[in-house]
């Protein structure tokens, strides 16, 4: 089992994913960032605006035995609905997305064996 960290509570885990013969990679807005006037600025940019993406706090990709390109994860950070559709269009790839409000979304492949949620909504 692999834990997915809560993007707002450093020592909390929000889900556990069974991982066998696969790779996992997570990208989020919680390691490299700063806050000014209550706004979080981080390294994942929305190419449409040039500002920090706000659609997802964390994106975890599960797939074949090679990590996905960084651009793949960054594209998904723009929102869970489009991100889930994008990932589900690719065979053998699944994702867990924690959106900007802290709600968790996951692809159909993980619905067969959904992540074991440790809590409801993630920290604020």
């Amino acid at each position: 089992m692999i834990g997915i960290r809560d993007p707002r509570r450093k020592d909390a885990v929000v889900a556990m994913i069974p991982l066998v013969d696969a790779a996992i990679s997570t990208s989020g807005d919680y390691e490299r960032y700063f806050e000014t006037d209550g706004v979080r600025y981080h390294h994942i940019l929305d190419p449409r605006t040039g500002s920090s993406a706000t659609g997802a706090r964390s994106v975890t990709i599960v797939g074949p035995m090679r990590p996905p390109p960084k651009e793949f994860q960054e594209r998904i950070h723009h929102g869970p609905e489009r991100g889930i559709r994008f990932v589900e269009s690719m065979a053998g790839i699944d994702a867990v997305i924690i959106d900007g409000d802290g709600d968790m979304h996951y692809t159909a492949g993980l619905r067969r064996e959904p992540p074991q949620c440790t809590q409801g909504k993630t920290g604020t």
Side-chain angles (χ1 to χ4, degrees):
M1 297 294 268
I2 300 293
I4 297 178
R5 180 180 152 194
D6 185 318
R8 294 298 182 266
R9 294 182 297 215
K10 186 173 186 162
D11 297 325
V13 173
V14 295
M16 300 290 289
I17 296 180
L19 192 67
V20 178
D21 295 329
I24 189 167
S25 179
T26 299
S27 177
D29 70 355
Y30 51 90
E31 288 291 335
R32 293 184 280 172
Y33 73 95
F34 65 92
E35 290 186 12
T36 301
D37 297 326
V39 177
R40 181 177 292 244
Y41 297 93
H42 55 86
H43 68 289
I44 302 167
L45 301 179
D46 182 336
R48 298 167 297 180
T49 65
S51 297
S52 295
T54 59
R57 294 177 181 180
S58 173
V59 172
T60 298
I61 303 295
V62 180
M65 296 295 288
R66 64 188 186 297
K70 186 169 179 63
E71 298 80 21
F72 184 89
Q73 287 178 302
E74 289 175 351
R75 180 173 176 178
I76 299 166
H77 268 273
H78 305 303
E81 295 81 16
R82 287 187 343 181
I84 293 292
R85 282 195 311 270
F86 173 68
V87 173
E88 287 181 339
S89 74
M90 306 184 144
I93 305 289
D94 283 298
V96 176
I97 300 172
I98 299 174
D99 69 21
D101 294 324
D103 294 320
M104 186 166 48
H105 309 264
Y106 48 93
T107 54
L110 291 174
R111 287 188 202 115
R112 288 187 296 269
E113 189 170 346
Q116 295 179 9
C117 298
T118 58
Q119 304 178 49
K121 198 168 190 140
T122 64
T124 55

